Amino acid sequence: MAHSQFDLLRQRRFLPFFVTQCLGAFNDNVYRQAIIGLLFWLGVTPEERTLYTNIAPALFILPYFLFSATAGQIAEKLEKSKLIRITTTMEIVIMSLAAVGFLTQNMVVLLVALFCTGVQSTLFGPVKYSILPSVLKPEELTGGNGLVEMGTSMSILVGMIFGGLIFELAGSHGPVVAATAIILLAVSGNIVSRFIPRAEPGAPDLRINWNPIPESLAVLRLAKKQLAVRNSVLGVSWFWFIGTVLTSQLPTYAEANLGGSATLYIFALALFSVGTGVGSMLCEKLSARTVEIGLVPMGAFGMSAFMIDLYFARSGAATTTGLSIGAFLQQPGSWRIAMDLTGIGLFAGFFVVPLFALIQSRTPRSEISRVIAGMNIQNAGFIVLAAALGIVVQRFFG
């Protein structure tokens, strides 16, 4: 009988975990976009909004540098479903603090809570990917990772849209709606996490080194111990670099080159996200249920080809401004741009899913959480580098 990765969505060993991680990604993005919505609603100056948009990503990414090594050790030592329940309980506490920030319209409280969500995401990161080889068969790894990547990309997209609409639709009730939404989502994630079956720890006797600097260097070395794993980790970091460059430039690109507003930016982001989700889902079929690393160069080539074509599709400034999605699609060359954005996402899925599957299949069970932690530190570095590059390019060439 033909097997499909969607069969995993009917099984307790996978479904509660899948829903929990989707709710977490969804809530993070609802929260971050709702803060931006609050700033617009309060009528703060563009300078203050720019300050927030620069500070917020830094606060969220900083814990990955500070705590990833510790998180990797904890994920190695503790039973995995218990650790997920701990992180979702943390989310309830953090979102309760964030709710106070919304209700009092206090940006300092909201930013402190944002840093705490970064800490919680750092703790969840290693267990998110190390639990899969514990609960899936080797031939299910590619399909399972495809589902997780699809779920994550769609949760981020829908969370951004939902969070961005809260203050637009709720108006003066925005703070209450935002506060209620993030707490309800956190509680929902915690309830679902209680259905995740037990997954044994990789190294229950591990002694935790709480000093982050030497341990960060140790997990980075661990991630580079095997050549295939080292190259795969580098590939995942490159995926995050490209993704950060693209998504950070999309708002400006949508306005300057496509002639649109925030709605058109969300449309462009949706094309990229849906493409990534579809590409991730196709990996199992294309790899014939094995860890097929041959998809990676195909993904890299496809991403490059569509990015080059995107440049030539509309290299100059838009001739018309203030376009809606419908009006944009009636412009000459618009369908080519839409195809390019979708194609970049599609081949990004082909690129990254086999890399995760290879890391999980080639790394010893007693080291995988720490290898993922090392990868997360490197990913954070690549994200910061991409963001800095984007700022430099906009400053000097924009």
Side-chain angles (χ1 to χ4, degrees):
M1 193 176 86
H3 172 91
S4 165
Q5 59 208 4
F6 293 106
D7 293 343
L8 293 172
L9 295 175
R10 294 197 292 268
Q11 298 176 31
R12 191 183 161 201
R13 64 194 169 111
F14 184 80
L15 179 62
F17 161 74
F18 175 76
V19 174
T20 300
Q21 68 92 26
C22 284
L23 284 169
F26 181 74
N27 202 10
D28 278 350
N29 285 277
V30 168
Y31 176 45
R32 283 190 275 182
Q33 290 301 309
I35 296 176
I36 295 172
L38 175 67
L39 290 170
F40 275 99
W41 182 68
L42 291 173
V44 302
T45 63
E47 290 76 21
E48 286 176 295
R49 282 205 305 273
T50 304
L51 181 66
Y52 164 75
T53 52
N54 287 326
I55 288 175
L59 283 174
F60 188 78
I61 207 81
L62 182 61
Y64 282 89
F65 291 110
L66 298 177
F67 306 120
S68 279
T70 306
Q73 294 175 91
I74 293 170
E76 214 84 90
K77 188 175 178 66
L78 289 187
E79 190 272 310
K80 290 175 172 53
S81 66
K82 179 182 179 182
L83 180 56
I84 294 172
R85 288 195 297 276
I86 290 169
T87 59
T88 54
T89 304
M90 281 175 63
E91 189 179 356
I92 295 173
V93 175
I94 293 162
M95 289 305 166
S96 299
L97 174 65
V100 172
F102 277 122
L103 294 173
T104 59
Q105 289 143 46
N106 187 320
M107 282 308 298
V108 174
V109 173
L110 287 167
L111 290 173
V112 168
L114 186 65
F115 175 80
C116 293
T117 63
V119 175
Q120 188 251 345
S121 295
T122 303
L123 194 59
F124 183 67
V127 76
K128 174 180 175 177
Y129 288 106
S130 66
I131 196 173
L132 290 178
S134 301
V135 299
L136 299 180
K137 299 167 188 168
E139 65 270 20
E140 293 173 330
L141 273 179
T142 299
N145 277 285
L147 283 168
V148 168
E149 286 308 304
M150 179 275 296
T152 302
S153 62
M154 297 315 298
S155 297
I156 289 169
L157 173 67
V158 178
M160 286 180 71
I161 295 169
F162 181 78
L165 287 174
I166 286 176
F167 280 88
E168 214 167 288
L169 298 179
S172 60
H173 299 294
V176 175
V177 173
T180 306
I182 58 175
I183 290 176
L184 283 177
L185 284 166
V187 171
S188 301
N190 182 259
I191 291 169
V192 175
S193 74
R194 295 178 185 277
F195 292 92
I196 298 173
R198 184 178 175 84
E200 294 304 324
D205 300 324
L206 181 74
R207 288 189 62 184
I208 295 177
N209 178 5
W210 296 99
N211 189 331
I213 297 172
E215 193 54 36
S216 294
L217 295 173
V219 295
L220 283 167
R221 280 195 302 272
L222 205 58
K224 294 174 182 174
K225 194 167 74 171
Q226 289 185 62
L227 182 63
V229 172
R230 183 189 73 187
N231 290 341
S232 297
V233 166
L234 186 60
V236 172
S237 296
W238 181 247
F239 166 81
W240 279 105
F241 180 87
I242 295 293
T244 303
V245 168
L246 282 169
T247 53
S248 63
Q249 299 306 310
L250 266 184
T252 306
Y253 176 74
E255 186 179 353
N257 296 78
L258 305 186
S261 56
T263 313
L264 198 53
Y265 154 60
I266 292 294
F267 176 66
L269 184 66
L271 291 172
F272 176 72
S273 301
V274 169
T276 305
V278 172
S280 300
M281 296 301 297
L282 287 173
C283 284
E284 184 185 58
K285 197 81 171 169
L286 292 172
S287 65
R289 300 192 73 210
T290 60
V291 178
E292 178 50 75
I293 211 69
L295 287 175
V296 176
M298 184 173 84
F301 177 80
M303 278 195 292
S304 303
F306 277 110
M307 281 191 280
I308 291 166
D309 192 69
L310 183 64
Y311 171 77
F312 287 109
R314 183 75 60 82
S315 57
T319 52
T320 314
T321 56
L323 293 175
S324 65
I325 294 170
F328 163 71
L329 289 174
Q330 290 169 2
Q331 298 292 308
S334 60
W335 285 96
R336 179 180 170 187
I337 292 167
M339 184 187 74
D340 286 336
L341 287 166
T342 309
I344 294 167
L346 182 80
F347 281 92
F350 293 167
F351 180 81
V352 76
V353 168
L355 294 176
F356 276 122
L358 185 138
I359 292 165
Q360 291 159 348
S361 64
R362 297 282 185 92
T363 305
R365 196 65 56 87
S366 61
E367 296 176 357
I368 189 165
S369 294
R370 285 173 290 166
V371 166
I372 298 293
M375 181 183 74
N376 285 344
I377 295 171
Q378 186 170 289
N379 289 349
F382 273 65
I383 289 168
V384 170
L385 192 63
L389 180 67
I391 293 167
V392 169
V393 169
Q394 279 202 354
R395 179 70 57 86
F396 295 103
F397 302 102

